[in-house]
Amino acid sequence: MASRELVQQLLPTCQRCRRLRRKCDTQLPDCRLCQKAGAECTFFDHALQQSLPRAYVQSLLTRLEHLKAVRDTLSTSPHSTHQQSSPIASQHQVSPVISTHPQIPQHSHVSPLQPPTSFDKHFPISSQPTRTRFFGASSVFTLSVSVLHHASTKTIISSDYSPPSPPSGATQVEPKQHLSYDSYGQPEAVRSHCKLYFASSNILYGIVDEESCTADMAAYFELRGRRIPASDLHGPDAHAYFRVSMICAIACATLSRHGAERGAESMAYYHDALPCVEEVTSEVGPASLQALLLLTVFCLFYPKLGDIWKVLDYACRLSVELGYHTEAGSDGEGEGGSGDEAERKLRRSTFWGLYAIERITGQLFGRGSDLPESIITTEYPSILTTTSGLDQEALQPISIGHHYRLVYLRSELFKALYLPAIPQSYDWTWYKERCATLRDWKTGLDISEDLAGVATITCDVGYHSTMCFIFQPMMLRALKATEEQSADEGELEISAVPQDNYHSAVALLRTYEKVIRAKESAPLGIYPMTFLSAHYIYLAGLTLMAHALLALDGRLDVVKRMEDLEVDVDGNPEFEKPDWTGVWEASNSCLVLLQWCAERWPGMEGMRDIYLRVAGRVLPEMARKGLL
């Protein structure tokens, strides 16, 4: 296989050096001249007939090296054969990409002679015995396996239990009603749905320009009035009809938690849009990228209706091809350029919306990214400097840019903690510094309760889920180290666990309970509850159970919260007795939320059943031991 040096030698002269008639050294990720000028180093690929960033080539080489390391690791260690607890998963194998950013300094507190165990899992597919589904260590399913295995090894739960299997060939059946309201498709209803969409999902992902939607609605009403079949639409008419139909479908899906009839209405609009899919995604252009992202957002509500990995892959490739990942050419010069500020703003919000969906979805399943940071130069859509003088409505589109910064920070953590083929281990100073960065980010969005809305709640969810995310590798190692009953087998691999993720898990459940209980007319009543929310709820619940199991074992200390933690010169942290106040209430909230998720997504009953099974035995045992 070609080495990195050989690939570099075979790369053509970059476009800038060719234009300036200078000798190009073909280095990665940028040639010396482009790096000195601060310009993006690109070359023209004649096979693809498009320009590519040289940094993209480096990301592919790094990806190849990582996959080879994973292959070598898997060839020397058996795959996990634990059964999958939830059917929400991709049928594609993992394809991680590592950024070329400088590596974070490592502070090891585990002997290099005994590297940590890899917690990546390959779950067998019951319907296809020869195939497996990959879930990385950042996945909640991996944490679920560790919690169940620990509890069964300690005989807290029975090891011979197996969840009921769905009937052969059973699939999630979506409602097929195409008429749920007399107002379905009528101008007032469509305008109301579009208004709700722009106040909810479009705040989070910024896919569609609200002003252009007015023209789309006019075309939509005209086409419906003429009763032209959607399959006969072409060009701008097809795009306008598709956009409005999908916007209405997403808006109704957002409100479906307040009434099942909204779910039927959502499916009706979705079926209206389906005949246009091939037409609106067949060309390379911004309208096609919009269509792909609308389908992606809809799949977040109905994961069984599409292959979200495939749609995201197409969207990522198209965004790079259109140059959405960079500010280059957005000043009216060059291909894809535009001097219109509104268009530049839409490009930025579209790209960062895609970035957020792709990163978070991938991390929840333990998958690497196809949008490496090394090629991203586009600006954030907005910067939050102060909340003074802003009302609740005006604050939301500004604060979502703050969330994109968190997604970027989280991506850096993912690369440090989860992507290496051999998992890394960091000392408490490393965690304290990273948590301080996250707290600094959170301080920038210190707002009052009356200003809460879809974007600010997303920031709140993002912060607390990231605190669970950053400490999950440590919890996995702690659960594995304390599985055995005997305490005289020598020193444990890990001696202490944090408590910050426990408090964040409690806060995360409280946030979602507040969202679920919000009335339809309230700002939080239009918060989009997608299957990503279900994963966060389950993650919070299992984080509680992981801490409870470790408390029952009693061999591990609990360090102070990171903001108060002091580490001595030898790297030893300060400890304190954890406060379990509120764990019963948080656990009950988790069950209520998981029950809601099971009703919303029938394939997720396993999450509820697993949590009920573990919590029903662990919490009473803690009470008997006087821990509560």
Side-chain angles (χ1 to χ4, degrees), residues 460 464 468 499-513 539-541 543-544 547 579-587 589-590 593:
D460 193 50
H464 291 299
C468 295
Q499 60 173 298
D500 294 71
N501 56 340
Y502 164 75
H503 295 292
S504 282
V506 173
L508 191 58
L509 292 171
R510 288 173 179 167
T511 297
Y512 273 117
E513 186 175 26
L539 170 64
T543 300
L544 294 182
H547 274 282
D579 180 10
W580 292 100
T581 303
V583 68
W584 281 107
E585 182 182 355
S587 181
S589 296
C590 186
L593 292 168

mmCIF file of all heavy atoms in Angstrom, residues 460 464 468 499-513 539-541 543-544 547 579-587 589-590 593:
data_model
loop_
_atom_site.group_PDB
_atom_site.id
_atom_site.type_symbol
_atom_site.label_atom_id
_atom_site.label_comp_id
_atom_site.label_asym_id
_atom_site.label_seq_id
_atom_site.Cartn_x
_atom_site.Cartn_y
_atom_site.Cartn_z
ATOM 1 N N ASP A 460 -28.019 24.082 26.799
ATOM 2 C CA ASP A 460 -28.047 23.453 28.126
ATOM 3 C C ASP A 460 -27.900 21.940 28.005
ATOM 4 O O ASP A 460 -27.107 21.314 28.717
ATOM 5 C CB ASP A 460 -29.357 23.819 28.823
ATOM 6 C CG ASP A 460 -29.336 23.470 30.302
ATOM 7 O OD1 ASP A 460 -28.371 23.848 30.991
ATOM 8 O OD2 ASP A 460 -30.280 22.799 30.773
ATOM 9 N N HIS A 464 -24.523 19.564 29.400
ATOM 10 C CA HIS A 464 -24.619 18.451 30.355
ATOM 11 C C HIS A 464 -24.360 17.101 29.688
ATOM 12 O O HIS A 464 -23.766 16.212 30.307
ATOM 13 C CB HIS A 464 -25.985 18.476 31.037
ATOM 14 C CG HIS A 464 -26.174 19.638 31.957
ATOM 15 N ND1 HIS A 464 -25.380 19.843 33.063
ATOM 16 C CD2 HIS A 464 -27.051 20.687 31.930
ATOM 17 C CE1 HIS A 464 -25.756 20.950 33.687
ATOM 18 N NE2 HIS A 464 -26.759 21.473 33.022
ATOM 19 N N CYS A 468 -21.255 14.232 30.510
ATOM 20 C CA CYS A 468 -21.385 12.767 30.556
ATOM 21 C C CYS A 468 -20.442 12.122 29.543
ATOM 22 O O CYS A 468 -19.816 11.089 29.805
ATOM 23 C CB CYS A 468 -22.827 12.350 30.266
ATOM 24 S SG CYS A 468 -24.035 12.889 31.496
ATOM 25 N N GLN A 499 -17.514 13.064 39.800
ATOM 26 C CA GLN A 499 -18.926 13.205 40.132
ATOM 27 C C GLN A 499 -19.617 14.237 39.251
ATOM 28 O O GLN A 499 -20.838 14.354 39.272
ATOM 29 C CB GLN A 499 -19.114 13.580 41.598
ATOM 30 C CG GLN A 499 -18.461 14.885 42.020
ATOM 31 C CD GLN A 499 -18.826 15.266 43.444
ATOM 32 O OE1 GLN A 499 -19.991 15.484 43.764
ATOM 33 N NE2 GLN A 499 -17.804 15.318 44.307
ATOM 34 N N ASP A 500 -18.845 14.966 38.441
ATOM 35 C CA ASP A 500 -19.438 15.989 37.583
ATOM 36 C C ASP A 500 -20.450 15.399 36.614
ATOM 37 O O ASP A 500 -21.493 16.007 36.345
ATOM 38 C CB ASP A 500 -18.344 16.718 36.797
ATOM 39 C CG ASP A 500 -17.436 17.522 37.699
ATOM 40 O OD1 ASP A 500 -16.649 16.900 38.429
ATOM 41 O OD2 ASP A 500 -17.507 18.756 37.687
ATOM 42 N N ASN A 501 -20.142 14.216 36.057
ATOM 43 C CA ASN A 501 -21.080 13.610 35.111
ATOM 44 C C ASN A 501 -22.348 13.132 35.803
ATOM 45 O O ASN A 501 -23.424 13.110 35.196
ATOM 46 C CB ASN A 501 -20.417 12.474 34.334
ATOM 47 C CG ASN A 501 -19.816 11.405 35.238
ATOM 48 O OD1 ASN A 501 -19.542 11.641 36.417
ATOM 49 N ND2 ASN A 501 -19.600 10.230 34.685
ATOM 50 N N TYR A 502 -22.259 12.782 37.079
ATOM 51 C CA TYR A 502 -23.472 12.419 37.821
ATOM 52 C C TYR A 502 -24.400 13.633 37.947
ATOM 53 O O TYR A 502 -25.603 13.545 37.672
ATOM 54 C CB TYR A 502 -23.116 11.888 39.208
ATOM 55 C CG TYR A 502 -24.287 11.851 40.160
ATOM 56 C CD1 TYR A 502 -25.272 10.872 40.046
ATOM 57 C CD2 TYR A 502 -24.430 12.822 41.155
ATOM 58 C CE1 TYR A 502 -26.361 10.853 40.897
ATOM 59 C CE2 TYR A 502 -25.516 12.807 42.012
ATOM 60 C CZ TYR A 502 -26.474 11.822 41.885
ATOM 61 O OH TYR A 502 -27.571 11.810 42.725
ATOM 62 N N HIS A 503 -23.846 14.762 38.355
ATOM 63 C CA HIS A 503 -24.668 15.964 38.517
ATOM 64 C C HIS A 503 -25.218 16.442 37.171
ATOM 65 O O HIS A 503 -26.352 16.927 37.096
ATOM 66 C CB HIS A 503 -23.841 17.065 39.181
ATOM 67 C CG HIS A 503 -23.420 16.733 40.576
ATOM 68 N ND1 HIS A 503 -24.309 16.635 41.628
ATOM 69 C CD2 HIS A 503 -22.192 16.456 41.099
ATOM 70 C CE1 HIS A 503 -23.660 16.328 42.730
ATOM 71 N NE2 HIS A 503 -22.374 16.214 42.440
ATOM 72 N N SER A 504 -24.433 16.295 36.116
ATOM 73 C CA SER A 504 -24.914 16.689 34.795
ATOM 74 C C SER A 504 -26.013 15.760 34.315
ATOM 75 O O SER A 504 -26.948 16.191 33.623
ATOM 76 C CB SER A 504 -23.757 16.696 33.788
ATOM 77 O OG SER A 504 -22.969 17.857 33.940
ATOM 78 N N ALA A 505 -25.922 14.467 34.654
ATOM 79 C CA ALA A 505 -26.979 13.529 34.277
ATOM 80 C C ALA A 505 -28.297 13.922 34.943
ATOM 81 O O ALA A 505 -29.366 13.895 34.303
ATOM 82 C CB ALA A 505 -26.588 12.105 34.671
ATOM 83 N N VAL A 506 -28.238 14.290 36.215
ATOM 84 C CA VAL A 506 -29.444 14.738 36.922
ATOM 85 C C VAL A 506 -29.995 16.006 36.271
ATOM 86 O O VAL A 506 -31.203 16.119 36.026
ATOM 87 C CB VAL A 506 -29.125 14.994 38.412
ATOM 88 C CG1 VAL A 506 -30.330 15.618 39.114
ATOM 89 C CG2 VAL A 506 -28.727 13.691 39.104
ATOM 90 N N ALA A 507 -29.118 16.963 35.968
ATOM 91 C CA ALA A 507 -29.556 18.212 35.342
ATOM 92 C C ALA A 507 -30.138 17.968 33.956
ATOM 93 O O ALA A 507 -31.114 18.614 33.556
ATOM 94 C CB ALA A 507 -28.378 19.182 35.253
ATOM 95 N N LEU A 508 -29.567 17.021 33.228
ATOM 96 C CA LEU A 508 -30.061 16.706 31.885
ATOM 97 C C LEU A 508 -31.472 16.140 31.935
ATOM 98 O O LEU A 508 -32.342 16.510 31.131
ATOM 99 C CB LEU A 508 -29.103 15.703 31.219
ATOM 100 C CG LEU A 508 -29.277 15.431 29.724
ATOM 101 C CD1 LEU A 508 -29.163 16.706 28.921
ATOM 102 C CD2 LEU A 508 -28.232 14.419 29.268
ATOM 103 N N LEU A 509 -31.739 15.273 32.895
ATOM 104 C CA LEU A 509 -33.081 14.707 33.047
ATOM 105 C C LEU A 509 -34.082 15.783 33.451
ATOM 106 O O LEU A 509 -35.223 15.796 32.968
ATOM 107 C CB LEU A 509 -33.058 13.583 34.082
ATOM 108 C CG LEU A 509 -32.279 12.327 33.668
ATOM 109 C CD1 LEU A 509 -32.124 11.372 34.848
ATOM 110 C CD2 LEU A 509 -32.976 11.626 32.502
ATOM 111 N N ARG A 510 -33.670 16.691 34.315
ATOM 112 C CA ARG A 510 -34.566 17.781 34.718
ATOM 113 C C ARG A 510 -34.895 18.682 33.534
ATOM 114 O O ARG A 510 -36.029 19.147 33.379
ATOM 115 C CB ARG A 510 -33.919 18.594 35.837
ATOM 116 C CG ARG A 510 -33.881 17.869 37.185
ATOM 117 C CD ARG A 510 -33.088 18.653 38.199
ATOM 118 N NE ARG A 510 -33.056 17.974 39.499
ATOM 119 C CZ ARG A 510 -32.234 18.296 40.502
ATOM 120 N NH1 ARG A 510 -31.385 19.319 40.341
ATOM 121 N NH2 ARG A 510 -32.272 17.631 41.639
ATOM 122 N N THR A 511 -33.900 18.925 32.688
ATOM 123 C CA THR A 511 -34.129 19.760 31.515
ATOM 124 C C THR A 511 -35.138 19.116 30.581
ATOM 125 O O THR A 511 -36.082 19.773 30.108
ATOM 126 C CB THR A 511 -32.805 20.003 30.769
ATOM 127 O OG1 THR A 511 -31.909 20.722 31.614
ATOM 128 C CG2 THR A 511 -33.041 20.799 29.493
ATOM 129 N N TYR A 512 -34.974 17.834 30.304
ATOM 130 C CA TYR A 512 -35.901 17.161 29.400
ATOM 131 C C TYR A 512 -37.293 17.020 30.007
ATOM 132 O O TYR A 512 -38.295 17.066 29.287
ATOM 133 C CB TYR A 512 -35.350 15.788 28.997
ATOM 134 C CG TYR A 512 -34.442 15.855 27.804
ATOM 135 C CD1 TYR A 512 -33.104 15.495 27.901
ATOM 136 C CD2 TYR A 512 -34.912 16.303 26.572
ATOM 137 C CE1 TYR A 512 -32.258 15.564 26.799
ATOM 138 C CE2 TYR A 512 -34.083 16.375 25.469
ATOM 139 C CZ TYR A 512 -32.765 16.001 25.584
ATOM 140 O OH TYR A 512 -31.930 16.080 24.494
ATOM 141 N N GLU A 513 -37.360 16.840 31.310
ATOM 142 C CA GLU A 513 -38.674 16.787 31.940
ATOM 143 C C GLU A 513 -39.382 18.126 31.799
ATOM 144 O O GLU A 513 -40.597 18.189 31.552
ATOM 145 C CB GLU A 513 -38.534 16.417 33.417
ATOM 146 C CG GLU A 513 -39.875 16.194 34.106
ATOM 147 C CD GLU A 513 -39.719 15.714 35.534
ATOM 148 O OE1 GLU A 513 -38.679 16.016 36.153
ATOM 149 O OE2 GLU A 513 -40.636 15.031 36.035
ATOM 150 N N LEU A 539 -28.662 8.037 28.049
ATOM 151 C CA LEU A 539 -27.297 8.254 28.523
ATOM 152 C C LEU A 539 -27.301 8.794 29.948
ATOM 153 O O LEU A 539 -26.519 8.338 30.795
ATOM 154 C CB LEU A 539 -26.591 9.248 27.593
ATOM 155 C CG LEU A 539 -25.228 9.779 28.058
ATOM 156 C CD1 LEU A 539 -24.213 8.652 28.135
ATOM 157 C CD2 LEU A 539 -24.735 10.882 27.129
ATOM 158 N N ALA A 540 -28.177 9.746 30.231
ATOM 159 C CA ALA A 540 -28.247 10.299 31.583
ATOM 160 C C ALA A 540 -28.640 9.224 32.588
ATOM 161 O O ALA A 540 -28.053 9.113 33.675
ATOM 162 C CB ALA A 540 -29.244 11.454 31.621
ATOM 163 N N GLY A 541 -29.641 8.403 32.238
ATOM 164 C CA GLY A 541 -30.080 7.345 33.139
ATOM 165 C C GLY A 541 -28.992 6.321 33.412
ATOM 166 O O GLY A 541 -28.776 5.909 34.566
ATOM 167 N N THR A 543 -25.781 6.776 33.150
ATOM 168 C CA THR A 543 -24.714 7.413 33.933
ATOM 169 C C THR A 543 -25.059 7.363 35.419
ATOM 170 O O THR A 543 -24.194 7.093 36.265
ATOM 171 C CB THR A 543 -24.504 8.864 33.476
ATOM 172 O OG1 THR A 543 -24.145 8.884 32.082
ATOM 173 C CG2 THR A 543 -23.409 9.545 34.278
ATOM 174 N N LEU A 544 -26.330 7.596 35.755
ATOM 175 C CA LEU A 544 -26.773 7.454 37.151
ATOM 176 C C LEU A 544 -26.536 6.036 37.643
ATOM 177 O O LEU A 544 -26.027 5.817 38.756
ATOM 178 C CB LEU A 544 -28.256 7.796 37.270
ATOM 179 C CG LEU A 544 -28.714 9.232 37.009
ATOM 180 C CD1 LEU A 544 -30.214 9.341 37.246
ATOM 181 C CD2 LEU A 544 -27.964 10.211 37.896
ATOM 182 N N HIS A 547 -22.829 5.151 38.299
ATOM 183 C CA HIS A 547 -22.375 5.677 39.590
ATOM 184 C C HIS A 547 -22.956 4.866 40.743
ATOM 185 O O HIS A 547 -22.265 4.611 41.747
ATOM 186 C CB HIS A 547 -22.776 7.143 39.721
ATOM 187 C CG HIS A 547 -21.792 8.090 39.113
ATOM 188 N ND1 HIS A 547 -20.616 8.437 39.739
ATOM 189 C CD2 HIS A 547 -21.803 8.759 37.933
ATOM 190 C CE1 HIS A 547 -19.940 9.291 38.986
ATOM 191 N NE2 HIS A 547 -20.640 9.512 37.881
ATOM 192 N N ASP A 579 -22.985 13.338 47.224
ATOM 193 C CA ASP A 579 -24.321 13.627 47.728
ATOM 194 C C ASP A 579 -25.342 12.979 46.794
ATOM 195 O O ASP A 579 -25.484 13.376 45.642
ATOM 196 C CB ASP A 579 -24.537 15.138 47.790
ATOM 197 C CG ASP A 579 -25.921 15.504 48.315
ATOM 198 O OD1 ASP A 579 -26.629 14.599 48.803
ATOM 199 O OD2 ASP A 579 -26.283 16.695 48.227
ATOM 200 N N TRP A 580 -26.041 11.968 47.295
ATOM 201 C CA TRP A 580 -26.996 11.228 46.473
ATOM 202 C C TRP A 580 -28.400 11.813 46.558
ATOM 203 O O TRP A 580 -29.353 11.205 46.093
ATOM 204 C CB TRP A 580 -27.031 9.758 46.905
ATOM 205 C CG TRP A 580 -25.770 9.016 46.588
ATOM 206 C CD1 TRP A 580 -24.758 8.729 47.443
ATOM 207 C CD2 TRP A 580 -25.376 8.503 45.315
ATOM 208 N NE1 TRP A 580 -23.753 8.049 46.796
ATOM 209 C CE2 TRP A 580 -24.113 7.900 45.479
ATOM 210 C CE3 TRP A 580 -25.960 8.488 44.052
ATOM 211 C CZ2 TRP A 580 -23.430 7.286 44.440
ATOM 212 C CZ3 TRP A 580 -25.281 7.885 43.008
ATOM 213 C CH2 TRP A 580 -24.039 7.290 43.199
ATOM 214 N N THR A 581 -28.512 12.990 47.136
ATOM 215 C CA THR A 581 -29.830 13.629 47.234
ATOM 216 C C THR A 581 -30.418 13.841 45.840
ATOM 217 O O THR A 581 -29.768 14.381 44.954
ATOM 218 C CB THR A 581 -29.716 14.986 47.941
ATOM 219 O OG1 THR A 581 -29.120 14.793 49.226
ATOM 220 C CG2 THR A 581 -31.089 15.629 48.082
ATOM 221 N N GLY A 582 -31.627 13.413 45.674
ATOM 222 C CA GLY A 582 -32.295 13.620 44.399
ATOM 223 C C GLY A 582 -32.184 12.482 43.421
ATOM 224 O O GLY A 582 -32.753 12.549 42.321
ATOM 225 N N VAL A 583 -31.448 11.397 43.773
ATOM 226 C CA VAL A 583 -31.278 10.305 42.813
ATOM 227 C C VAL A 583 -32.592 9.569 42.556
ATOM 228 O O VAL A 583 -32.884 9.140 41.440
ATOM 229 C CB VAL A 583 -30.173 9.334 43.275
ATOM 230 C CG1 VAL A 583 -30.587 8.574 44.527
ATOM 231 C CG2 VAL A 583 -29.818 8.380 42.148
ATOM 232 N N TRP A 584 -33.440 9.424 43.620
ATOM 233 C CA TRP A 584 -34.737 8.776 43.417
ATOM 234 C C TRP A 584 -35.591 9.588 42.456
ATOM 235 O O TRP A 584 -36.201 9.046 41.521
ATOM 236 C CB TRP A 584 -35.474 8.622 44.757
ATOM 237 C CG TRP A 584 -35.025 7.486 45.616
ATOM 238 C CD1 TRP A 584 -34.302 7.567 46.758
ATOM 239 C CD2 TRP A 584 -35.271 6.084 45.395
ATOM 240 N NE1 TRP A 584 -34.076 6.320 47.290
ATOM 241 C CE2 TRP A 584 -34.664 5.391 46.471
ATOM 242 C CE3 TRP A 584 -35.942 5.366 44.412
ATOM 243 C CZ2 TRP A 584 -34.711 4.005 46.575
ATOM 244 C CZ3 TRP A 584 -35.983 3.985 44.521
ATOM 245 C CH2 TRP A 584 -35.379 3.311 45.585
ATOM 246 N N GLU A 585 -35.640 10.880 42.702
ATOM 247 C CA GLU A 585 -36.441 11.755 41.842
ATOM 248 C C GLU A 585 -35.928 11.740 40.405
ATOM 249 O O GLU A 585 -36.708 11.666 39.447
ATOM 250 C CB GLU A 585 -36.406 13.182 42.388
ATOM 251 C CG GLU A 585 -37.240 14.169 41.586
ATOM 252 C CD GLU A 585 -37.148 15.583 42.122
ATOM 253 O OE1 GLU A 585 -36.505 15.767 43.175
ATOM 254 O OE2 GLU A 585 -37.698 16.491 41.481
ATOM 255 N N ALA A 586 -34.596 11.789 40.248
ATOM 256 C CA ALA A 586 -34.019 11.769 38.901
ATOM 257 C C ALA A 586 -34.298 10.447 38.205
ATOM 258 O O ALA A 586 -34.588 10.406 37.001
ATOM 259 C CB ALA A 586 -32.516 12.019 38.982
ATOM 260 N N SER A 587 -34.233 9.358 38.962
ATOM 261 C CA SER A 587 -34.503 8.044 38.379
ATOM 262 C C SER A 587 -35.955 7.933 37.931
ATOM 263 O O SER A 587 -36.249 7.384 36.857
ATOM 264 C CB SER A 587 -34.177 6.946 39.390
ATOM 265 O OG SER A 587 -34.410 5.672 38.837
ATOM 266 N N SER A 589 -37.879 10.408 37.039
ATOM 267 C CA SER A 589 -37.990 11.251 35.850
ATOM 268 C C SER A 589 -37.474 10.520 34.620
ATOM 269 O O SER A 589 -38.064 10.602 33.532
ATOM 270 C CB SER A 589 -37.203 12.550 36.044
ATOM 271 O OG SER A 589 -37.750 13.333 37.082
ATOM 272 N N CYS A 590 -36.370 9.788 34.791
ATOM 273 C CA CYS A 590 -35.804 9.040 33.675
ATOM 274 C C CYS A 590 -36.784 7.984 33.161
ATOM 275 O O CYS A 590 -36.946 7.813 31.951
ATOM 276 C CB CYS A 590 -34.491 8.386 34.101
ATOM 277 S SG CYS A 590 -33.618 7.560 32.747
ATOM 278 N N LEU A 593 -39.539 9.665 31.194
ATOM 279 C CA LEU A 593 -39.054 10.120 29.896
ATOM 280 C C LEU A 593 -38.815 8.950 28.946
ATOM 281 O O LEU A 593 -39.125 9.032 27.751
ATOM 282 C CB LEU A 593 -37.763 10.924 30.081
ATOM 283 C CG LEU A 593 -37.926 12.274 30.785
ATOM 284 C CD1 LEU A 593 -36.559 12.838 31.173
ATOM 285 C CD2 LEU A 593 -38.664 13.260 29.894
#
